[in-house]
Amino acid sequence: MCLGIPGKVIEISGEGFMRTGKIDFDGIVKEVSLAYVPEIEVGDYAIVHVGFAITQLDEESAQETLALLRRLDVVDEELDPEVALAAERRRAGGDTP
Amino acid sequence: MKYLDEFRDPEVALRLIDEINELASRRWVLMEVCGGQTHSIIRNGIDRLLPDSVEMVHGPGCPVCVTPLDTIDKALAIAARDDVIFCSFGDMLRVPGSDEDLFQVKGGGGDIRVVYSPTDALQIARENPDEEVVFFGIGFETTAPANAMAVYQAKQEGLENFSMLVSHVLVPPAMRAILDSPTNRVQAFLAAGHVCSVMGYEEYFAIAQEYGTPIVVTGFEPLDLLSGIKAAITQLEEGRATVENAYQRAVRREGNVPAKQMIADVFTTTDRNWRGIGPIPASGWELSERYRDFDAAARFPIGDIDTKESPLCHAGEVLQGTRKPDECPAFGKECTPRTPLGALMVSSEGACAAYYQYGRFAKAASS
Ligand code: SF4
């Protein structure tokens, strides 16, 4: 019950504390309260806890984080043969997390 | 789903693990606070992929697990009443009370309904004006905005047959209690990302500073967890202790302001006795003065309750990170998800359930 689930806002109705929206959780659509995310719009992503959207996911920072993680990798692999070797060994072993 | 898949990229995960390996010059003990993080770590095998120098211990962030036993017993007594429709999140149904669980009360004729949201319980109250509808309002800061809104709406509508058995718990006081314990091993925390999405992380700076303990706000996907671990190890290696946000896409420093305002109106801070851990000062929320009429504990007074825990259960040590689930002698033997001795084996966020579900039996066999 404590786990937040991310989904995409596909429809909004009502206002203020009565503002609700249809959210698509990877195929399952549920009606949830948008009372706590007054700025959210159709097409945005939110994390939902027990029927209430609590956070709007910030797409820009999601992409920044990913880009940063990926860039670090590439740079490290280019610059540090040890890292590259370790990575290759892992890949060859075929074990994934 | 977009985002999720990208934050599960195994290539990037392995590289992050290599980086953590290079960073860690000695052994460090990290605690992930949230039960959702525990499940992700065990399911993805992150603890096993990490170098031996980084040990993950599992925190108390499972609301089902820490709801006090006398509150569970109270819930069972209220749910058994003829005039009550008792509504609860599904994961509370099999949590063992002193003698039985909600599921057994239901089998014995209690009208117990599983709801997805507290607003579903409100709807049941509107539809059944001649019955008392009680919602079991438990959880950490994540479920509080929803529970607070349900009580607020009930008051607005004058819904007199609705009440809530409130037993909320708060993360920051629990972190302090863990650090204060003489048996503490935790050197850095991964703070619970979704708790921080509600409350923000302002409050953690004082903890990081007072105890010299790095705190990194962390998400739930493998890359989120590894980024959080890397940030924590970096701080430890550099001798720094501050608060960092490794879950920026979901957490702002100030949290969710409208949700915090609603919580501040409906709830007030109280001492709370955590199951398995004991009393922690100012570590819970109860209904504030304005909303006391909706307090199920006051509406249905239950006499003194004689609580008893299974003597075999080591949940308290597991919750505080001094024992792993597979180091409990009952794990996988007397205690399984079908025959749980403690709440940690029931909840989808409990550490013992995670170890069982993902086949971590190694140490239990030898102890
Ligand atoms: S395995 Fe069962 S008995 Fe042991 S600590 Fe966990 S819940 Fe308690």
Side-chain angles (χ1 to χ4, degrees):
Chain A
M1 137 272 299
C2 197
L3 299 175
I5 305 173
K8 185 178 188 172
V9 182
I10 54 173
E11 206 182 293
I12 295 179
S13 56
E15 271 174 34
F17 282 166
M18 290 323 206
R19 195 166 181 251
T20 62
K22 287 201 164 60
I23 295 206
D24 179 359
F25 301 99
D26 236 0
I28 301 168
V29 176
K30 256 188 166 323
E31 181 91 16
V32 312
S33 167
L34 302 180
Y36 294 128
V37 284
E39 269 137 47
I40 209 159
E41 287 168 21
V42 169
D44 290 339
Y45 286 78
I47 295 177
V48 176
H49 288 271
V50 295
F52 286 74
I54 296 296
T55 332
Q56 181 176 337
L57 281 171
D58 179 351
E59 177 155 10
E60 211 172 298
S61 66
Q63 295 309 337
E64 266 170 33
T65 307
L66 284 168
L68 192 73
L69 289 171
R70 295 205 181 102
R71 195 159 56 236
L72 273 178
D73 292 336
V74 177
V75 173
D76 274 355
E77 194 165 349
E78 297 281 41
L79 297 182
D80 188 342
E82 284 296 333
V83 174
L85 190 66
E88 287 308 327
R89 213 178 285 131
R90 281 237 166 82
R91 282 175 203 140
D95 55 351
T96 51
Chain B
M1 159 156 328
K2 192 183 162 193
Y3 294 138
L4 287 195
D5 296 340
E6 293 171 272
F7 281 95
R8 288 173 185 163
D9 186 338
E11 293 275 301
V12 181
L14 291 175
R15 310 306 288 307
L16 273 168
I17 288 166
D18 286 334
E19 287 170 25
I20 292 166
N21 199 3
E22 296 210 346
L23 272 171
S25 66
R26 47 157 286 190
R27 193 175 170 81
W28 297 111
V29 179
L30 272 54
M31 175 180 275
E32 84 278 359
V33 171
C34 168
Q37 293 170 330
T38 303
H39 269 254
S40 185
I41 285 170
I42 303 298
R43 183 177 62 232
N44 293 294
I46 288 174
D47 56 329
R48 289 183 165 168
L49 288 167
L50 285 169
D52 289 341
S53 48
V54 180
E55 184 188 350
M56 297 305 298
V57 298
H58 317 309
C62 160
V64 173
C65 305
V66 300
T67 301
L69 183 53
D70 69 321
T71 305
I72 304 279
D73 287 346
K74 229 178 258 176
L76 294 170
I78 295 173
R81 291 174 61 115
D82 286 339
D83 56 345
V84 164
I85 301 175
F86 193 86
C87 303
S88 170
F89 296 127
D91 19 10
M92 296 307 286
L93 254 64
R94 298 203 57 232
V95 173
S98 290
D99 295 314
E100 46 182 3
D101 58 31
L102 280 171
F103 205 66
Q104 286 163 317
V105 173
K106 189 172 163 64
D111 190 349
I112 297 176
R113 312 215 185 149
V114 171
V115 294
Y116 162 65
S117 167
T119 51
D120 299 341
L122 271 188
Q123 189 54 28
I124 293 172
R126 289 185 196 110
E127 288 163 4
N128 296 274
D130 299 331
E131 300 219 48
E132 284 287 339
V133 174
V134 179
F135 179 72
F136 200 179
I138 66 132
F140 278 95
E141 292 90 331
T142 47
T143 51
N147 291 348
M149 182 67 86
V151 176
Y152 172 85
Q153 281 183 358
K155 190 176 169 78
Q156 291 286 311
E157 293 174 32
L159 210 54
E160 282 173 10
N161 65 327
F162 177 83
S163 61
M164 196 177 282
L165 183 61
V166 178
S167 185
H168 267 288
V169 277
L170 307 177
V171 164
M175 288 164 72
R176 284 180 181 274
I178 287 165
L179 293 172
D180 281 333
S181 161
T183 54
N184 172 54
R185 301 170 57 226
V186 175
Q187 292 163 300
F189 282 110
L190 306 186
H194 290 158
V195 167
C196 296
S197 71
V198 178
M199 299 305 293
Y201 52 88
E202 205 69 59
E203 210 181 333
Y204 296 103
F205 284 92
I207 301 178
Q209 202 175 22
E210 268 172 56
Y211 293 89
T213 305
I215 300 175
V216 182
V217 178
T218 303
F220 299 82
E221 297 303 327
L223 296 194
D224 291 323
L225 286 157
L226 289 167
S227 306
I229 292 166
K230 184 183 160 192
I233 300 284
T234 304
Q235 282 197 45
L236 288 166
E237 288 287 340
E238 291 173 0
R240 290 186 296 124
T242 186
V243 181
E244 275 177 82
N245 182 5
Y247 194 31
Q248 288 189 8
R249 69 184 183 284
V251 175
R252 335 267 175 260
R253 185 170 172 139
E254 69 282 7
N256 183 320
V257 175
K260 278 163 66 177
Q261 283 166 346
M262 180 61 80
I263 289 169
D265 179 34
V266 175
F267 294 132
T268 179
T269 306
T270 181
D271 299 341
R272 181 78 66 216
N273 191 5
W274 293 48
R275 188 173 192 172
I277 297 179
I280 304 177
S283 67
W285 281 323
E286 61 181 3
L287 290 172
S288 66
E289 204 56 53
R290 271 185 301 287
Y291 296 90
R292 284 279 152 79
D293 288 350
F294 295 92
D295 183 358
R299 197 175 292 190
F300 307 100
I302 311 289
D304 279 349
I305 294 175
D306 219 1
T307 57
K308 55 176 192 301
E309 286 283 9
S310 165
L312 295 176
C313 183
H314 291 271
E317 291 152 76
V318 175
L319 286 167
Q320 291 169 91
T322 54
R323 190 190 280 262
K324 296 271 162 61
D326 57 356
E327 292 162 358
C328 169
F331 175 82
K333 295 184 184 129
E334 293 90 342
C335 185
T336 69
R338 291 176 65 103
T339 56
L341 294 182
L344 275 72
M345 190 54 99
V346 178
S347 166
S348 55
E349 288 131 38
C352 299
Y355 271 59
Y356 193 92
Q357 190 178 340
Y358 302 112
R360 298 292 184 88
F361 293 104
K363 287 180 197 156
S366 60
S367 66

